[in-house]
Amino acid sequence: MLFFTQCFGAVLDLIHLRFQHYKAKRVFSAAGQLVCVVNPTHSLKYAPTRCAAAQTSVEQGILPPCHHHEAVHDPQLVPCTCPLFSCPWEGHLEVVVSHLRQTHRINILQGAEIVFLATDMHLPAPTDWIIMHSCLGHQFLLVLRKQEKYEGHPQFFATMMLIGTPTQADNFTYRLELNRNQRRLKWEATPRSVLECVDSVISDGDCLVLNTSLAQLFSDNGSLAIGIAITTSKVHNAEAEM
């Protein structure tokens, strides 16, 4: 009985997943658009990352202790850019993508326009939804986070980060679009570099911010579909023409 119960549950999950995929394709019916169903990760620790801890220490005027016998840190190494865990990994920017895919099992989609379908929006904060988007020869990290910026008032924060340098990020523009029940909401901005930390972007509010009531207007049975499009910036195009 236990075996059949588990199998039946797996079949129901598969049917539910396919139904969500169909709903997203119905909402975003543009030809060639890919749909990625993203399940939430409810972080159990949410311990401050090294970049966040370092930023807090600088803001408070506290410098890290200096030990003469410590190894010199390589400035070319970057910490793990996955916001879901306090991962101790460090590496060069060129291998960040392989680390995210192999260690954290982050999905990656290719295409100029995709649909990010986040499920189970009702889960308590803090919760994250994350995918990688490969486009225009670069990889981007889309992070949707449910977080209580003020106690008792959870909000949703969505941002796009380029897995590259800030100079490279300035060459692109990303657009996030929510479209449901004759309502449309768009956010357009320049992506930030993963070197700047996702936590700082969210704390600055330089991203798409939704309160709970607004998120419910665009959600469908607890799922939120976000259309994503990435283009090269006008300044970059003009320089290329010159």
Side-chain angles (χ1 to χ4, degrees):
M1 288 295 295
L2 180 61
F3 173 76
F4 284 108
T5 300
Q6 291 177 342
C7 290
F8 184 69
V11 171
L12 286 180
D13 290 340
L14 181 60
I15 294 174
H16 180 62
L17 187 66
R18 295 294 297 176
F19 180 65
Q20 290 175 329
H21 187 276
Y22 166 77
K23 289 191 298 182
K25 295 191 76 172
R26 181 187 60 190
V27 175
F28 296 88
S29 58
Q33 225 168 6
L34 299 176
V35 178
C36 182
V37 179
V38 185
N39 294 320
T41 298
H42 191 69
S43 180
L44 298 178
K45 18 186 177 177
Y46 247 88
T49 59
R50 279 167 300 169
C51 59
Q55 182 180 5
T56 302
S57 299
V58 172
E59 290 175 353
Q60 295 177 351
I62 304 174
L63 297 178
C66 178
H67 301 284
H68 296 289
H69 299 288
E70 285 186 353
V72 178
H73 178 73
D74 187 350
Q76 294 183 344
L77 295 180
V78 296
C80 176
T81 57
C82 184
L84 306 179
F85 310 101
S86 298
C87 178
W89 179 88
E90 281 187 329
H92 291 275
L93 199 57
E94 295 79 11
V95 295
V96 168
V97 173
S98 60
H99 168 73
L100 292 176
R101 297 200 67 182
Q102 295 173 10
T103 304
H104 299 296
R105 307 297 181 186
I106 303 299
N107 293 327
I108 184 169
L109 286 182
Q110 296 184 0
E113 296 185 6
I114 64 174
V115 176
F116 178 94
L117 183 64
T119 65
D120 300 324
M121 303 292 295
H122 61 278
L123 289 178
T127 305
D128 288 294
W129 296 259
I130 179 173
I131 62 167
M132 283 191 293
H133 183 189
S134 179
C135 180
L136 300 174
H138 289 77
Q139 282 73 41
F140 300 83
L141 197 68
L142 177 69
V143 178
L144 174 65
R145 174 175 298 175
K146 184 177 183 180
Q147 179 175 310
E148 288 189 358
K149 199 165 185 179
Y150 305 101
E151 186 176 358
H153 299 280
Q155 293 177 301
F156 293 90
F157 304 86
T159 186
M160 182 74 75
M161 311 285 289
L162 172 72
I163 303 179
T165 65
T167 302
Q168 292 174 322
D170 288 339
N171 295 328
F172 299 96
T173 299
Y174 75 94
R175 185 181 73 246
L176 304 179
E177 179 177 341
L178 290 83
N179 188 355
R180 184 173 181 269
N181 291 338
Q182 298 181 347
R183 298 181 180 90
R184 178 172 296 181
L185 180 63
K186 290 184 181 181
W187 167 267
E188 187 171 294
T190 300
R192 302 277 285 271
S193 167
V194 292
L195 301 178
E196 301 179 54
C197 290
V198 175
D199 293 336
S200 62
V201 175
I202 290 178
S203 62
D204 293 342
D206 186 17
C207 56
L208 174 63
V209 182
L210 304 172
N211 57 30
T212 304
S213 59
L214 188 58
Q216 289 176 349
L217 287 176
F218 290 97
S219 64
D220 186 8
N221 291 327
S223 297
L224 187 66
I226 304 177
I228 307 169
I230 301 176
T231 58
T232 55
S233 64
K234 295 180 180 179
V235 175
H236 180 66
N237 291 334
E239 291 178 351
E241 292 176 359
M242 293 177 62

